[in-house]
């Protein structure tokens, strides 16, 4: 790993989710060499931050124990940065790419194609499992990888279905690896790590925060060519992933449902707004295959 990457991991750990500040630092100091030399006043003047924040950065950047912790993380997990050659192209192209990614499991899956993200409500209907099996099983036979967020409900069903069919799957977490959330899925986490891949933008010792989950959604949609919404309420966190997918220029697919079912209101509205209606795997395959043919022709 290049020194520049070590420095970015270090800075990312300290600054956290303020990616705007990290980008400003990288613009000012591309090799991230000066960050260890700037005093409090220089941090304040360069980045228009307050005295307290500047003092915090100067102090934390000098902590030897923190540097040792980061070395431990890199030894335990596979860590990549936006400077890495193996950073996913699909993520590099989104408006707000993650600067550092912690990986646990089979990192080769990062480049797997096709990749479809599957999202939905945490409180699915009794029909959700059979709907998912009907749509996703043929996709597994076409070597599709499923990306989701390992939440309870639709996300968990998607990962479990992939495991059942021995098909590749990626889970993107809203917490570090030392704080698996939800706790109901600790066993699922262990199963996924064995042959598949877990990704987190957050250092291993970071617990889940409410704002982490909308943030991680851009990674779920960013890794895939399209996002399939199985069930979603009218006002749902799932729709944040859809917004991210649209901003990234990705396909959006939605499964229709009864007008009487609360978990179908979000999907029905998405279809009304222009998402592709999905009744079977064919509806997804016919969107993916022409796209691949177009990309081959334009290489």
């Amino acid at each position: 790993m290049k020194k520049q990457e070590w420095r970015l991991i270090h800075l990312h750990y300290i600054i956290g989710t303020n990616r705007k500040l990290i980008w400003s630092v990288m613009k000012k100091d591309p090799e991230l060499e000066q960050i260890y030399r700037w005093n409090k006043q220089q941090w304040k003047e360069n980045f228009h931050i307050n005295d307290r924040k500047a003092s915090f950065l100067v102090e934390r950047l000098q902590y030897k124990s923190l540097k040792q912790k980061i070395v431990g993380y890199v030894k335990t997990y596979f860590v990549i940065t936006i400077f890495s050659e193996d950073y996913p192209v699909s993520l590099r192209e989104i408006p707000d790419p993650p600067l550092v990614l912690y990986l646990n499991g089979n990192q080769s899956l990062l480049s797997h194609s096709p990749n479809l993200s599957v999202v939905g409500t945490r409180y699915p209907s009794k029909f959700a499992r059979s709907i998912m099996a009907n749509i996703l099983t043929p996709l597994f036979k076409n070597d599709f990888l499923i990306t989701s967020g390992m939440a309870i409900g639709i996300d968990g069903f998607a990962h479990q279905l992939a495991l059942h069919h021995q098909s590749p799957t990626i889970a993107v977490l809203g917490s570090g690896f030392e704080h698996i959330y939800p706790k109901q899925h600790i066993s699922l986490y262990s199963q996924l790590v064995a042959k598949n891949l877990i990704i987190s933008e957050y250092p291993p010792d970071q617990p889940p925060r409410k704002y982490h989950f909308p943030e991680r959604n851009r990674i779920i949609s960013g890794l895939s060519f399209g996002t399939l919404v199985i069930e979603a309420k009218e006002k749902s966190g799932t729709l944040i992933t859809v917004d991210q997918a649209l901003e990234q220029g990705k396909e959006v697919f939605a499964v229709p449902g009864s007008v009487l079912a609360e978990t179908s209101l979000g999907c029905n509205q998405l279809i009304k707004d222009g998402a592709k209606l999905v009744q079977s795997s064919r509806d997804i395959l016919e969107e993916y295959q022409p796209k691949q043919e177009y990309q081959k022709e334009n290489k």
Side-chain angles (χ1 to χ4, degrees):
M1 186 180 288
K2 299 172 186 175
K3 289 183 179 180
Q4 182 190 34
E5 292 189 79
W6 283 103
R7 294 167 189 151
L8 178 55
I9 296 167
H10 190 194
L11 186 68
H12 177 265
Y13 183 96
I14 294 167
I15 292 181
T17 56
N18 189 345
R19 292 180 296 281
K20 187 177 179 181
L21 176 55
I22 299 175
W23 278 111
S24 296
V25 174
M26 291 194 296
K27 187 176 180 181
K28 184 82 174 176
D29 179 22
E31 292 298 319
L32 299 177
E33 291 179 320
Q34 301 302 316
I35 60 173
Y36 300 103
R37 302 189 185 109
W38 288 329
N39 58 34
K40 183 174 70 172
Q41 191 60 33
Q42 288 172 309
W43 275 100
K44 288 171 65 177
E45 291 174 358
N46 287 336
F47 306 107
H48 309 290
I49 57 178
N50 61 37
D51 192 84
R52 183 167 172 267
K53 182 71 174 178
S55 295
F56 174 80
L57 288 170
V58 171
E59 289 172 12
R60 295 281 282 177
L61 281 165
Q62 301 305 322
Y63 282 1
K64 287 185 179 179
S65 59
L66 180 51
K67 292 178 183 178
Q68 291 167 350
K69 178 184 280 192
I70 289 168
V71 170
Y73 289 156
V74 174
K75 286 181 178 178
T76 305
Y77 306 104
F78 191 74
V79 186
I80 61 173
T81 76
I82 199 161
F83 299 133
S84 306
E85 291 179 5
D86 46 6
Y87 187 93
V89 175
S90 57
L91 287 182
R92 199 182 292 278
E93 294 174 345
I94 68 174
D96 183 17
L99 297 167
V100 176
L101 288 173
Y102 294 84
L103 313 178
N104 197 6
N106 181 3
Q107 61 262 25
S108 69
L109 294 182
L110 268 183
S111 58
H112 186 101
S113 182
N115 183 326
L116 176 73
S117 58
V118 176
V119 296
T121 179
R122 285 175 165 78
Y123 307 101
S125 72
K126 61 182 180 180
F127 305 109
R129 282 185 183 271
S130 56
I131 290 170
M132 293 175 72
N134 182 268
I135 294 171
L136 297 181
T137 300
L139 297 181
F140 295 142
K141 293 176 182 177
N142 280 272
D143 199 30
F144 269 65
L145 178 148
I146 298 301
T147 295
S148 197
M150 212 182 80
I152 58 172
I154 297 299
D155 290 24
F157 290 176
H159 295 306
Q160 289 161 359
L161 197 58
L163 288 171
H164 176 73
H165 288 275
Q166 298 182 331
S167 291
T169 183
I170 295 175
V172 185
L173 305 188
S175 61
F177 298 145
E178 294 171 7
H179 296 271
I180 304 307
Y181 182 87
K183 290 186 177 178
Q184 300 98 303
H185 280 170
I186 289 176
S187 175
L188 177 59
Y189 174 91
S190 299
Q191 292 176 66
L192 291 172
V193 165
K195 290 185 179 179
N196 292 281
L197 180 62
I198 310 281
I199 298 176
S200 180
E201 185 178 12
Y202 309 103
D205 63 350
Q206 296 298 302
R209 305 289 185 200
K210 192 174 181 180
Y211 61 88
H212 286 178
F213 297 96
E215 280 194 331
R216 66 93 191 264
N217 290 347
R218 79 190 196 286
I219 301 175
I220 293 174
S221 57
L223 283 168
S224 58
F225 86 94
T227 294
L228 171 64
V229 186
I230 302 293
E231 290 184 342
K233 295 181 180 179
E234 196 168 19
K235 293 182 179 178
S236 164
T238 298
L239 303 184
I240 296 173
T241 312
V242 171
D243 289 340
Q244 298 279 10
L246 291 171
E247 185 183 5
Q248 295 163 358
K250 305 298 179 80
E251 302 286 347
V252 175
F253 306 96
V255 177
S258 168
V259 295
L260 302 177
E262 189 179 7
T263 54
S264 295
L265 296 179
C267 287
N268 291 346
Q269 186 61 48
L270 286 174
I271 294 166
K272 190 176 178 181
D273 292 341
K276 174 150 186 176
L277 185 153
V278 173
Q279 293 176 296
S280 74
S281 60
R282 288 193 300 275
D283 297 314
I284 296 171
L285 288 167
E286 68 184 18
E287 288 294 327
Y288 174 72
Q289 288 165 347
K291 195 166 190 174
Q292 290 304 102
E293 290 167 9
Y294 174 82
Q295 288 172 347
K296 286 178 183 177
E297 289 172 3
N298 288 272
K299 273 189 177 180

